[in-house]
Amino acid sequence: MYTFCNLHPCRRLLLFFLTYLLRINTKAHILVQVNNVSRLCHAKPIVTVNGRFPGPTIYVREGDRVLVNVTNHAQYNMSIHWHGLKQYRNGWADGPAYITQCPIKTGNSYTYDFNVTGQRGTLWWHAHIFWLRATVYGAIVIMPKPGTPFPFPQPNREEVILLGEWWHTDVEEVEKQGQKMGLPPNMSDAHTINGKPGPLFPCSEKHTFAMEVESGKTYLLRIINAALNDELFFAIAGHNFTVVEVDAVYTKPFTTEAILIAPGQTTNVLVQANQKPGRYFMAARPFNDAPIPVDNKTATGILQYKGIPNSLLPTLAQLPASNDSEFALNYNKKLRSLNSPKFPADVPQKVDRKLFYTIGFGKDSCPTCVNGTRLLATLNNISFVMPQTALLQAHYFNLKGVFKADFPDKPPKPFNYTGAPLTASLGTSRATRLSKIAFNSTIELVLQDTNLLTVESHPFHLHGYNFFVVGTGIGNFDPVKDPANYNLVDPIERNTAAVPTGGWTAIRFRADNPGVWFMHCHLELHTGWGLKTAFAVEDGPGPDQSVLPPPTDLPPC
């Protein structure tokens, strides 16, 4: 055998085989199942991953090929989205149900097979069907390539902080009840830090996240907002944060007493254990400057210095007021891309196509609902209807009748978007309409909040891409004056950006990833009401610029 394997052809074959094996750097198995979990004085069955809530953190390295086998033993059909991973040419691994795949049926499996290319930092994964991401979520930590240091001081240790929500009752039933009534469903009963609401809630002393630190050491917190419907402030009593990354993109560091993080966003901060040894509350509470009800209770965890007894009462954290719009706007203005030679900000300077999408609410006739109507959410007055065949499959196989590629570039009728509240119908339609985008074209999209029924903040997530937030403002976007104030040098690059209440946000990106890519508000309530659409990005002319063929185990519709 030794003599045979020293023959030249055998060495080549062995090398090829080993190279293929080494390409699969990370393997993971996700088992979706129902378990009883106790919070706030009683237990209830919830959908968990590997028996855990939240689910496990998946560690990978930049450049890895990752295989995650998902087996679904829950009573619900399921799909998993790898939030923020670009999935170049490989929308089959993106995960949103009926957009890039049909869901994994009960008792079945699907393997998500993807490469982690040109990304490092904190992202996350979550269920992408119904409201199941209320409990089915976890972190993805992408470590830099070996020998590549962080562009900030090396921390002594790091910790994942997942911010979420908790309902006393079955969250799927809560959502169904809201749909049946045509009204917003019941808000959550508590917010959570790593699945735990903290000692300010009943029966929660043992359901409190605690992190031990040592004086003089520096800690990297990888913070993720996995909440369904709330932007959140987060702070630690007596300690400042240095923000160094958002949405897996390094930032120019800045110091702040608190962060603001919208659903879908991630933020990495450095914390120095430089205060008097003691116990300090970490706290999360919603930011809301719109006239709508939210769960305003504060979730807490504890930062505890080594050697300090648990009997010492923690110091309370000071958070901005729940409606502090000024803090929110100023905080977001401080976010800038690092834009260093190693991590440049490649902002499109010229735009091939300009899009203007208005965000609004409407009403649809519903004789069985409480008021005879059901609330809808719209982009350019279109409330998106989910298909029964995955859009990427329809696009790839040229299936007719699944969607129309005629989503309008601007609203059908201009009006004073943020003026007096409007309740009159502007001809809201319900349809499955996409926007077709030329490969490698540069896109500018302005998202404009409106006062159709009410103004509200909306965190928008674009699948398959990062984008640059080149401008934002309050009131109506002015296409003549506002672009003059764009930041085209070092704007923040991310995958989820908040449109401010009664304002607008302008983003730019290059459409160099062919496929069908979902864009939606990451408030699950609004997504369910139709605040979503998708871009069908055409194939490019090159051999490596077209959508890859679908995998053989792609779930059938």
Side-chain angles (χ1 to χ4, degrees):
M1 180 65 73
Y2 176 80
T3 306
F4 177 74
C5 278
N6 271 278
L7 295 175
H8 191 63
C10 183
R11 288 206 307 271
R12 283 191 303 179
L13 185 62
L14 182 62
L15 182 63
F16 172 81
F17 183 65
L18 289 173
T19 302
Y20 176 78
L21 287 179
L22 289 170
R23 281 186 62 235
I24 305 172
N25 306 92
T26 302
K27 277 188 174 182
H29 188 82
I30 281 181
L31 181 62
V32 180
Q33 59 190 10
V34 174
N35 290 87
N36 275 341
V37 173
S38 177
R39 295 288 187 275
L40 277 64
C41 306
H42 70 281
K44 72 168 188 175
I46 66 169
V47 183
T48 65
V49 169
N50 298 355
R52 295 166 60 178
F53 166 67
T57 296
I58 298 174
Y59 288 88
V60 302
R61 193 172 287 280
E62 182 182 352
D64 278 3
R65 180 186 174 197
V66 180
L67 271 69
V68 185
N69 178 262
V70 177
T71 301
N72 182 18
H73 285 312
Q75 72 269 40
Y76 305 101
N77 294 339
M78 176 65 61
S79 72
I80 302 292
H81 171 48
W82 312 95
H83 186 114
L85 283 158
K86 295 180 184 176
Q87 309 289 12
Y88 183 66
R89 303 172 58 208
N90 187 28
W92 314 109
D94 191 41
Y98 299 107
I99 304 297
T100 59
Q101 68 167 95
C102 287
I104 307 163
K105 293 176 182 174
T106 302
N108 290 12
S109 298
Y110 176 50
T111 297
Y112 292 92
D113 182 350
F114 55 89
N115 295 313
V116 181
T117 305
Q119 293 183 272
R120 82 293 306 161
T122 305
L123 294 171
W124 65 302
W125 56 266
H126 60 82
H128 212 302
I129 183 168
F130 311 127
W131 279 28
L132 291 173
R133 74 175 175 91
T135 59
V136 179
Y137 61 86
I140 307 170
V141 173
I142 307 170
M143 301 304 295
K145 290 179 178 178
T148 305
F150 295 130
F152 48 80
Q154 182 73 25
N156 298 101
R157 206 185 85 203
E158 59 180 59
E159 189 79 51
V160 171
I161 304 289
L162 284 153
L163 308 177
E165 289 178 276
W166 176 265
W167 277 260
H168 283 312
T169 52
D170 183 337
V171 68
E172 287 304 303
E173 291 305 315
V174 170
E175 195 263 346
K176 285 177 188 173
Q177 183 69 13
Q179 288 284 355
K180 196 179 293 184
M181 296 174 68
L183 297 170
N186 292 341
M187 66 189 77
S188 57
D189 296 291
H191 287 92
T192 58
I193 298 175
N194 287 346
K196 300 173 180 180
L200 302 186
F201 289 87
C203 307
S204 294
E205 279 199 27
K206 68 176 182 177
H207 297 308
T208 299
F209 170 71
M211 175 182 171
E212 187 178 80
V213 298
E214 295 182 49
S215 290
K217 292 193 173 179
T218 300
Y219 297 84
L220 177 68
L221 303 186
R222 299 179 179 271
I223 306 163
I224 299 164
N225 187 349
L228 261 65
N229 292 312
D230 287 329
E231 292 185 71
L232 295 168
F233 291 120
F234 180 76
I236 299 177
H239 294 73
N240 287 334
F241 296 144
T242 300
V243 177
V244 293
E245 176 196 304
V246 298
D247 291 4
V249 176
Y250 296 134
T251 65
K252 286 183 170 66
F254 68 92
T255 302
T256 180
E257 294 179 352
I259 67 164
L260 176 63
I261 184 167
Q265 293 182 337
T266 71
T267 303
N268 283 9
V269 301
L270 294 174
V271 179
Q272 290 185 318
N274 57 6
Q275 298 301 302
K276 178 183 176 182
R279 301 174 82 221
Y280 297 84
F281 270 130
M282 51 181 71
R285 186 177 66 199
F287 161 63
N288 177 45
D289 59 352
I292 56 170
V294 295
D295 167 18
N296 208 27
K297 304 180 195 77
T298 302
T300 52
I302 296 173
L303 185 84
Q304 183 159 335
Y305 281 69
K306 191 173 182 178
I308 298 298
N310 291 345
S311 56
L312 183 70
L313 287 175
T315 303
L316 289 172
Q318 296 298 313
L319 290 166
S322 59
N323 63 349
D324 194 340
S325 303
E326 187 177 355
F327 178 95
L329 290 168
N330 288 337
Y331 175 83
N332 284 320
K333 282 178 184 175
K334 292 176 187 174
L335 292 171
R336 300 289 183 95
S337 291
L338 187 59
N339 196 24
S340 67
K342 193 168 185 180
F343 303 105
D346 190 16
V347 189
Q349 300 296 309
K350 293 182 179 179
V351 174
D352 297 318
R353 186 169 167 192
K354 292 187 176 182
L355 308 176
F356 185 79
Y357 291 178
T358 54
I359 305 162
F361 296 106
K363 292 181 179 180
D364 198 20
S365 176
C366 175
T368 60
C369 294
V370 172
N371 298 319
T373 57
R374 176 181 285 125
L375 286 168
L376 297 174
T378 65
L379 285 171
N380 281 355
N381 247 34
I382 301 165
S383 186
F384 190 85
V385 175
M386 292 297 283
Q388 294 303 303
T389 299
L391 296 176
L392 180 58
Q393 287 174 275
H395 171 74
Y396 184 83
F397 292 109
N398 198 26
L399 303 178
K400 305 299 182 186
V402 179
F403 66 85
K404 291 183 178 179
D406 63 349
F407 192 90
D409 286 6
K410 57 185 179 181
K413 182 180 177 183
F415 59 97
N416 182 4
Y417 306 116
T418 56
L422 293 170
T423 56
S425 171
L426 292 176
T428 298
S429 65
R430 299 178 73 249
T432 310
R433 298 170 69 180
L434 280 59
S435 186
K436 187 171 280 190
I437 304 290
F439 179 80
N440 213 36
S441 60
T442 52
I443 305 298
E444 178 178 303
L445 168 61
V446 176
L447 290 158
Q448 171 74 62
D449 188 32
T450 71
N451 209 354
L452 283 169
L453 299 188
T454 181
V455 289
E456 193 172 344
S457 176
H458 301 275
F460 267 83
H461 172 47
L462 176 59
H463 291 227
Y465 290 91
N466 281 354
F467 50 74
F468 292 95
V469 183
V470 295
T472 190
I474 300 300
N476 296 342
F477 174 74
D478 187 322
V480 176
K481 294 179 181 177
D482 286 325
N485 296 316
Y486 281 174
N487 176 5
L488 300 178
V489 178
D490 61 353
I492 196 62
E493 179 186 349
R494 60 189 325 164
N495 62 63
T496 306
V499 179
T501 300
W504 57 270
T505 291
I507 67 172
R508 287 187 181 184
F509 64 96
R510 180 176 295 278
D512 57 1
N513 190 4
V516 175
W517 303 107
F518 205 23
M519 189 189 74
H520 60 98
C521 179
H522 222 274
L523 302 180
E524 207 62 37
L525 178 62
H526 295 169
T527 299
W529 287 350
L531 194 49
K532 51 199 172 188
T533 185
F535 294 115
V537 179
E538 296 176 304
D539 288 345
D544 60 349
Q545 295 176 339
S546 57
V547 177
L548 294 167
T552 55
D553 64 338
L554 189 70
C557 293

